[in-house]
Amino acid sequence: MKRADGNRLMAENYRDRYAKKLFNPATIATAIDAVAMEGHRQYRVMQELPFDLSETDAAHALEQWLKEQKFNYSWRPRFLEQDAFRPSIATEHPELVISW
């Protein structure tokens, strides 16, 4: 295995672990209940890291759970806030928005 392959695997493993933590159905259900009690009709799954996690196994499992629970969801582009003094390298990644 070449170094680049090893680095790609490490990055994929990290993203998979992050997605599993972020898209945990129990955590999402608790967050949805909390914002619904405040009168909101949608919940954005806020990512701290700008990764495209929409194709991970954890995201697909959460999508299946959302369908079973009759929630609507969509993957919308989230644009990173740019610093005027630094050049931009990546400006968007998909973010999950759940509504009811």
Side-chain angles (χ1 to χ4, degrees):
M1 176 183 298
K2 300 290 183 185
R3 181 176 283 272
D5 293 333
N7 289 346
R8 183 185 50 79
L9 285 173
M10 284 188 284
E12 285 178 6
N13 287 338
Y14 182 83
R15 289 177 185 211
D16 287 342
R17 284 193 315 269
Y18 181 60
K20 192 172 185 178
K21 177 183 169 190
L22 186 67
F23 298 134
N24 181 345
T27 305
I28 297 296
T30 302
I32 289 172
D33 290 347
V35 297
M37 290 179 69
E38 294 175 357
H40 299 285
R41 303 257 342 244
Q42 74 174 13
Y43 174 69
R44 285 177 42 209
V45 180
M46 301 289 290
Q47 295 179 209
E48 294 177 13
L49 304 171
F51 299 145
D52 180 359
L53 302 174
S54 62
E55 296 300 321
T56 60
D57 291 339
H60 291 305
L62 179 60
E63 288 173 350
Q64 183 63 36
W65 180 82
L66 292 169
K67 288 177 190 173
E68 291 170 2
Q69 300 299 317
K70 305 284 191 219
F71 286 105
N72 300 314
Y73 67 90
S74 64
W75 290 94
R76 296 185 183 160
R78 177 175 182 254
F79 296 94
L80 299 175
E81 293 184 21
Q82 298 297 313
D83 184 349
F85 298 106
R86 296 183 184 164
S88 72
I89 51 173
T91 58
E92 73 177 73
H93 63 278
E95 183 175 66
L96 184 63
V97 178
I98 304 166
S99 59
W100 52 90

